[in-house]
C-alpha cells in the first residue's frame, strides 16, 4: 500500500506541474535549452532603389531582428522574424549570402562580409532552430503545445492561445482534481494507519506466545481490541469510487473544453479560407473586365518580390515592362538628386605632370585618325531616305535612330541635330572633352580616371557609371580626341570642331571584372559656329549660334531586353543632350568668347 500511495502522489504532482506549465506555456526555453545569441552588421537587401544596405542584426530569444545601426538598437527594431517557422538557406552561387524566409511571404536577403562570417550565422541560426525542437516529435514537450485529443490529423494548438475564459475553466477543473487528490490521500493514509496498527499488535501477540509468558499474552490479548480500531471499509470504498469518478469526469470536461477551442479555431480558419477565395474570385473578375475594356490579351505575370535574384541576366524573372520600370525608377532617382543640387560637385582631375608623347607617334594614332575621319564623314551625311527614324523632337533638336542588333544586343546608331545660342563650337567641344567638366553634365558618372595622356588633345579615360538595378554596373575604357577640322562646304569657315570617343583595350584594365560590365562605344560630337556679325559693335554671345551634330553607337554589353533598351534610349538621349547644352551655356555665361 505504501508503494501505491507514493505512485499516486507522484501522478498528482505531475498534474500540478502541468498546471504551472499551462500558465507559462509561452515562455521560451522552459525546458532548459541553451539559447545561442548572436549580433553583428550584415548587408540586407532593402528594395530595388537602394539595393544592399548595412544593417545591425540581432538574434535573441528565438527572434531575428534588425536595426538601421547599432546606435539605433535602443529605439526599437525595424523588423523581426521568429525562427520557429523560418527557413534558413545559404545561396547557391553567392558564397557570402543567405536567406531567411517564412512561407515565401516574408524573405530577408542577407550578405556577410566573408564566407566564414556567413557560415557562422547560418550555423547558429540552424542550430537554434534545431535545438528549439519546432516541428519535431518533441515539440509538444518543448514548447508546451496541446495536441488535439479528438483527432490525430488536426494541427497542434498552443495552450497559450486559449481565451481567458477557457484558461479559467481549465484552472477550475484542475483545482477540483486537487481536492479529489486530497480526499484520496486521506483515505489511503487512514487505511495505511489501520493496517500498520494491526501488524504491530499481531507481532506483539506472536512474540508473547513464543516466549511462553502466558500472563503477558493474556494482557496483550486484552489490550488489543480490533473493534476499537475498525474502519468502515464500505464507506471508504464508496468515497473512493465517487472520487475516482469525479476525477474522470473532470478530465473528460477538460478534453471537451480543448475540443471546443479546436472547433472554434477550425471555424475561423474556414472563414479565412472562404474570404481568400472570394477575394481571388473578385480579382479574377476585375482582371477580366480590364482585359475586355482594353482589348488586350492577358499575359502571364510573374510575382515579383523585388529581391536581388531578379537582376539582369538571360534567366531573369522580370518581364520587359518591369525591367524598364525598375531602370526608369533608378534614373528618376538620379535625376531628382541632380535637381535638388544646384550643380554636381565638380571633380577636378589634374593632368599628369610627366612629359607627354606627341599623339602622332603613339601606337593608337592610326586608329584615332581613321575613326575620327570616318565619324566626321558620317556626321556630315544627310538623313536621306534610309532607315533613319525620327524618335524625338523638341524645338530645334531632332533625334534619329536606326534599329540594329549585334549578338542579340541593341546597338541602334543614333544621330542628333541641335542648335544652341550663346556658345561657340570650340567651347562646346572643350566642355565635352575636358575631364574637369565631365562630372557636371554626365549624371550617371560614379568615378573617372585618366589612364593615359597621349597629348593635350588626346586622352584615355576609364569611367565607372552608377549602378541602376536590375541592370549590372557598367564601365567604359575609351580614348577621346579633340581637333579643329575644315568645312568642305565652306572653306572660309574655319571654326568647326570635333570630339571623338572610341573604346579601346588596356592589359591593366581587362573588361568585365569586379562585377562591372564593359560598354563598347563610338561617339562623335561635331560643332560649327555661326556668327551674325553686328555692324557697329563687337561680337557678343547673343550673336553666336552653335550647330551641333551628335552621333553615337553604343553596345551596352551584358544582357537586357531589347524593348527596354530602346525605350530607355528614347527617354534618356533627348534629356542628355538638353542637359549637356544647358550646362555648356551655364559654364560659358559671363566669360570671354573663345573660338
Amino acid at each position: 500500500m505504501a508503494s501505491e500511495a507514493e505512485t499516486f502522489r507522484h501522478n498528482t504532482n505531475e498534474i500540478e506541474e502541468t498546471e504551472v506549465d499551462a500558465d507559462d506555456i509561452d515562455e521560451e526555453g522552459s525546458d532548459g535549452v541553451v539559447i545561442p545569441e548572436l549580433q553583428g552588421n550584415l548587408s540586407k537587401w532593402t528594395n530595388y532603389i537602394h539595393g544592399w544596405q548595412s544593417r545591425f542584426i540581432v538574434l535573441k530569444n528565438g527572434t531575428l531582428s534588425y536595426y538601421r545601426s547599432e546606435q539605433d538598437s535602443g529605439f526599437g527594431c525595424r523588423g523581426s522574424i521568429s525562427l520557429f517557422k523560418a527557413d534558413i538557406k545559404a545561396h547557391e552561387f553567392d558564397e557570402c549570402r543567405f536567406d531567411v524566409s517564412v512561407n515565401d511571404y516574408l524573405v530577408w536577403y542577407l550578405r556577410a562580409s566573408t564566407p566564414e562570417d556567413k557560415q557562422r550565422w547560418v550555423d547558429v541560426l540552424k542550430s537554434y532552430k534545431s535545438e528549439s525542437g519546432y516541428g519535431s516529435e518533441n515539440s509538444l514537450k518543448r514548447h508546451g503545445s496541446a495536441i488535439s485529443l479528438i483527432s490525430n490529423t488536426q494541427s497542434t494548438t498552443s495552450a497559450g492561445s486559449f481565451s481567458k475564459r477557457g484558461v479559467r475553466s481549465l484552472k477550475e477543473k484542475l483545482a477540483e482534481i486537487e481536492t479529489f487528490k486530497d480526499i484520496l490521500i486521506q483515505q489511503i493514509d487512514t487505511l495505511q494507519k489501520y493496517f500498520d496498527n494491526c501488524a504491530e499488535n499481531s507481532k506483539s501477540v506472536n512474540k508473547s506466545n513464543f516466549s511462553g509468558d502466558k500472563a503477558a499474552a493474556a494482557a496483550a490479548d486484552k489490550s488489543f481490541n480490533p473493534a476499537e480500531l475498525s474502519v468502515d471499509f464500505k464507506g471508504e470504498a464508496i468515497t473512493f469510487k465517487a472520487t475516482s469518478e469525479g476525477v474522470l469526469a473532470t478530465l473528460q470536461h477538460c478534453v471537451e473544453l480543448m475540443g471546443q477551442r479546436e472547433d472554434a479555431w477550425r471555424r475561423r480558419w474556414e472563414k479565412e479560407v472562404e474570404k481568400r477565395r472570394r477575394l481571388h474570385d473578385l480579382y479574377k473578375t476585375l482582371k477580366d473586365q480590364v482585359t475586355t475594356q482594353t482589348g488586350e490579351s492577358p499575359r502571364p505575370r510573374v510575382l515579383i518580390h523585388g529581391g536581388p535574384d531578379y537582376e539582369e541576366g538571360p534567366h531573369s524573372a522580370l518581364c520587359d515592362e518591369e525591367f524598364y520600370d525598375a531602370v526608369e525608377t533608378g534614373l528618376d532617382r538620379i535625376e531628382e538628386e541632380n535637381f535638388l543640387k544646384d550643380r554636381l560637385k565638380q571633380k577636378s582631375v589634374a593632368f599628369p605632370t610627366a612629359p607627354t608623347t606627341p599623339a602622332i607617334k603613339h601606337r593608337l594614332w592610326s586608329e584615332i585618325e581613321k575613326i575620327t575621319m570616318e565619324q566626321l564623314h558620317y556626321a556630315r551625311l544627310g538623313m536621306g531616305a534610309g532607315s533613319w527614324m525620327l524618335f524625338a523632337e523638341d524645338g530645334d533638336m531632332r533625334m534619329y535612330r536606326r534599329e540594329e542588333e549585334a549578338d542579340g544586343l541593341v546597338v541602334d546608331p543614333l544621330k542628333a541635330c541641335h542648335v544652341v545660342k550663346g556658345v561657340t563650337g570650340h567651347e562646346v567641344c572643350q566642355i565635352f572633352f575636358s575631364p574637369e567638366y565631365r562630372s557636371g553634365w554626365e549624371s550617371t558618372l560614379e568615378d573617372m580616371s585618366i589612364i593615359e595622356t597621349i597629348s593635350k588633345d588626346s586622352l584615355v579615360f576609364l569611367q565607372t557609371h552608377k549602378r541602376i538595378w536590375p541592370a549590372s554596373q557598367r564601365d567604359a575604357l575609351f580614348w577621346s580626341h579633340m581637333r579643329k577640322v575644315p568645312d568642305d562646304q565652306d572653306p572660309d569657315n574655319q571654326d568647326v570642331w570635333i570630339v571623338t570617343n572610341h573604346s579601346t583595350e588596356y592589359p591593366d584594365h581587362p573588361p568585365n571584372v569586379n562585377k562591372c560590365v564593359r560598354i563598347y562605344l563610338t561617339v562623335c560630337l561635331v560643332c560649327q559656329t555661326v556668327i551674325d556679325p553686328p555692324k557697329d559693335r563687337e561680337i557678343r554671345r547673343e550673336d553666336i549660334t552653335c550647330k551641333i551634330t551628335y552621333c553615337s553607337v553604343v553596345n551596352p554589353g551584358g544582357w537586357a531586353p531589347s524593348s527596354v533598351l530602346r525605350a530607355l534610349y528614347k527617354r534618356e538621349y533627348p534629356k542628355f543632350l538638353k542637359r549637356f547644352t544647358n550646362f555648356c551655356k551655364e559654364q560659358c555665361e559671363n566669360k570671354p568668347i573663345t573660338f
Side-chain angles (χ1 to χ4, degrees):
M1 286 296 294
S3 61
E4 293 178 358
E6 292 298 328
T7 302
F8 184 81
R9 289 191 181 94
H10 177 70
N11 293 336
T12 54
N13 287 335
E14 287 185 353
I15 295 177
E16 292 177 353
E17 292 175 1
T18 303
E19 180 180 3
V20 174
D21 291 341
D23 292 336
D24 301 329
I25 198 76
D26 292 330
E27 183 177 352
E28 296 177 6
S30 60
D31 58 345
V33 176
V34 179
I35 301 176
E37 296 188 2
L38 190 62
Q39 63 183 18
N41 289 311
L42 295 174
S43 294
K44 181 178 180 298
W45 176 265
T46 55
N47 51 54
Y48 65 85
I49 295 179
H50 299 96
W52 296 98
Q53 296 290 328
S54 178
R55 293 292 183 261
F56 185 64
I57 311 296
V58 176
L59 170 62
K60 186 176 182 181
N61 295 332
T63 301
L64 196 66
S65 307
Y66 81 92
Y67 307 82
R68 182 181 291 275
S69 63
E70 186 174 1
Q71 291 73 20
D72 294 342
S73 59
F75 301 101
C77 69
R78 300 175 66 87
S80 61
I81 287 183
S82 174
L83 291 181
F84 295 142
K85 296 184 180 181
D87 182 28
I88 299 94
K89 182 179 179 182
H91 196 264
E92 185 177 0
F93 305 109
D94 192 341
E95 59 183 6
C96 294
R97 175 183 153 190
F98 63 97
D99 302 340
V100 181
S101 61
V102 178
N103 298 329
D104 294 332
Y105 293 106
L106 178 60
V107 184
W108 286 10
Y109 306 100
L110 302 173
R111 292 190 82 254
S113 57
T114 62
E116 293 77 14
D117 193 20
K118 182 267 294 188
Q119 192 60 42
R120 180 169 65 95
W121 276 91
V122 172
D123 292 341
V124 171
L125 296 180
K126 286 187 175 180
S127 66
Y128 180 86
K129 183 176 176 62
S130 176
E131 291 181 7
S132 69
Y134 186 87
S136 64
E137 294 179 357
N138 297 326
S139 61
L140 176 63
K141 177 182 177 182
R142 291 179 179 270
H143 297 286
S145 300
I147 195 167
S148 170
L149 301 178
I150 304 300
S151 173
N152 292 331
T153 61
Q154 302 298 327
S155 60
T156 61
T157 305
S158 173
S161 65
F162 288 129
S163 64
K164 294 182 179 179
R165 180 179 179 182
V167 172
R168 190 185 308 113
S169 299
L170 287 176
K171 287 184 178 180
E172 291 175 355
K173 294 302 176 182
L174 289 173
E176 292 181 11
I177 293 177
E178 179 72 19
T179 303
F180 296 147
K181 178 198 73 172
D182 294 337
I183 296 173
L184 293 175
I185 290 175
Q186 291 176 4
Q187 291 176 321
I188 291 173
D189 290 340
T190 301
L191 293 174
Q192 187 65 41
K193 183 178 180 181
Y194 172 76
F195 288 116
D196 289 344
N197 289 332
C198 291
E200 290 176 1
N201 286 296
S202 177
K203 289 180 180 178
S204 299
V205 171
N206 292 335
K207 184 177 180 181
S208 299
N209 291 334
F210 182 78
S211 62
D213 190 352
K214 295 182 179 180
D221 291 339
K222 187 177 180 181
S223 62
F224 176 69
N225 187 5
E228 296 178 357
L229 300 175
S230 62
V231 177
D232 184 7
F233 284 100
K234 184 176 182 181
E236 294 294 337
I238 293 174
T239 304
F240 186 86
K241 182 178 179 181
T243 305
S244 301
E245 291 177 351
V247 171
L248 294 177
T250 301
L251 291 176
Q252 180 63 31
H253 186 70
C254 292
V255 171
E256 292 175 356
L257 286 176
M258 296 173 69
Q260 291 174 4
R261 297 302 302 165
E262 183 177 1
D263 292 338
W265 282 111
R266 187 186 297 110
R267 287 193 296 271
R268 290 184 60 180
W269 176 75
E270 291 174 352
K271 289 181 180 178
E272 291 297 328
V273 171
E274 179 64 22
K275 185 187 298 183
R276 184 174 181 179
R277 186 190 62 79
R278 290 197 301 267
L279 289 174
H280 183 270
D281 294 341
L282 179 60
Y283 164 76
K284 187 176 180 181
T285 303
L286 293 175
K287 184 178 179 181
D288 294 340
Q289 292 177 358
V290 172
T291 303
T292 304
Q293 293 176 359
T294 58
E296 298 179 357
S297 58
R299 292 178 297 175
R301 303 282 292 187
V302 181
L303 179 61
I304 301 301
H305 296 288
D309 293 326
Y310 295 93
E311 300 182 16
E312 175 179 351
H315 303 294
S316 175
L318 283 170
C319 67
D320 292 1
E321 291 182 5
E322 288 159 342
F323 197 102
Y324 173 74
D325 290 341
V327 175
E328 186 182 33
T329 303
L331 292 172
D332 287 340
R333 184 174 62 89
I334 294 176
E335 185 177 357
E336 183 179 355
E337 292 175 355
N338 296 334
F339 178 77
L340 294 177
K341 299 176 183 178
D342 293 335
R343 186 175 297 125
L344 287 172
K345 184 179 180 181
Q346 297 182 4
K347 179 166 59 172
S348 299
V349 181
F351 285 86
T353 57
T356 58
T357 304
I360 196 171
K361 297 180 180 180
H362 195 270
R363 61 179 180 85
L364 291 175
W365 177 252
S366 59
E367 180 180 278
I368 292 174
E369 180 70 17
K370 177 184 176 183
I371 298 298
T372 301
M373 292 296 102
E374 287 180 354
Q375 292 302 309
L376 181 62
H377 173 71
Y378 293 145
R380 285 174 171 171
L381 288 177
M383 292 298 102
S387 56
W388 288 102
M389 295 181 296
L390 178 68
F391 72 90
E393 183 176 2
D394 185 3
D396 295 327
M397 182 176 63
R398 303 286 190 278
M399 303 200 77
Y400 306 84
R401 66 176 173 86
R402 293 200 310 265
E403 291 191 356
E404 292 185 9
E405 294 188 10
D407 298 329
L409 290 176
V410 173
V411 293
D412 294 350
L414 174 77
K415 189 168 185 176
C417 300
H418 195 24
V419 176
V420 183
K421 293 184 177 296
V423 292
T424 66
H426 178 261
E427 291 171 336
V428 174
C429 288
Q430 187 66 39
I431 293 174
F432 189 77
F433 169 80
S434 300
E436 59 264 30
Y437 293 110
R438 192 172 294 271
S439 61
W441 56 265
E442 195 159 4
S443 60
T444 62
L445 188 64
E446 181 176 280
D447 189 27
M448 177 197 61
S449 59
I450 299 176
I451 302 302
E452 183 180 0
T453 301
I454 301 175
S455 63
K456 291 183 179 181
D457 58 3
S458 302
L459 303 173
V460 179
F461 290 93
L462 176 61
Q463 292 186 172
T464 303
H465 296 268
K466 298 176 183 177
R467 191 199 169 189
I468 303 173
W469 189 89
S472 301
Q473 191 170 21
R474 257 66 175 179
D475 65 2
L477 178 63
F478 59 92
W479 54 257
S480 183
H481 174 68
M482 173 181 171
R483 70 164 69 173
K484 189 175 184 179
V485 294
D487 189 351
D488 296 338
Q489 299 178 357
D490 186 3
D492 295 331
N493 186 3
Q494 297 297 319
D495 198 50
V496 179
W497 292 81
I498 183 173
V499 177
T500 307
N501 298 339
H502 183 71
S503 292
T504 186
E505 294 183 359
Y506 269 66
D508 295 339
H509 302 279
N512 303 324
V513 296
N514 298 326
K515 298 183 179 179
C516 281
V517 177
R518 179 64 52 85
I519 297 174
Y520 296 94
L521 56 87
T522 301
V523 175
C524 81
L525 180 72
V526 180
C527 298
Q528 178 182 355
T529 305
V530 178
I531 303 175
D532 184 12
K535 296 180 180 180
D536 54 352
R537 58 177 175 81
E538 63 181 6
I539 299 175
R540 299 177 183 174
R541 289 204 172 271
E542 56 263 27
D543 304 324
I544 300 172
T545 302
C546 180
K547 293 183 178 180
I548 298 175
T549 303
Y550 177 80
C551 299
S552 172
V553 179
V554 178
N555 185 332
W559 178 91
S562 301
S563 60
V564 172
L565 289 177
R566 290 195 169 103
L568 288 175
Y569 290 164
K570 184 176 180 179
R571 161 197 159 108
E572 290 301 311
Y573 270 121
K575 292 170 61 176
F576 152 73
L577 195 57
K578 184 177 294 186
R579 181 171 60 248
F580 170 70
T581 54
N582 289 336
F583 180 81
C584 293
K585 293 170 68 174
E586 291 176 1
Q587 292 298 315
C588 298
E589 189 177 6
N590 300 324
K591 291 183 180 179
I593 301 174
T594 57
F595 294 96

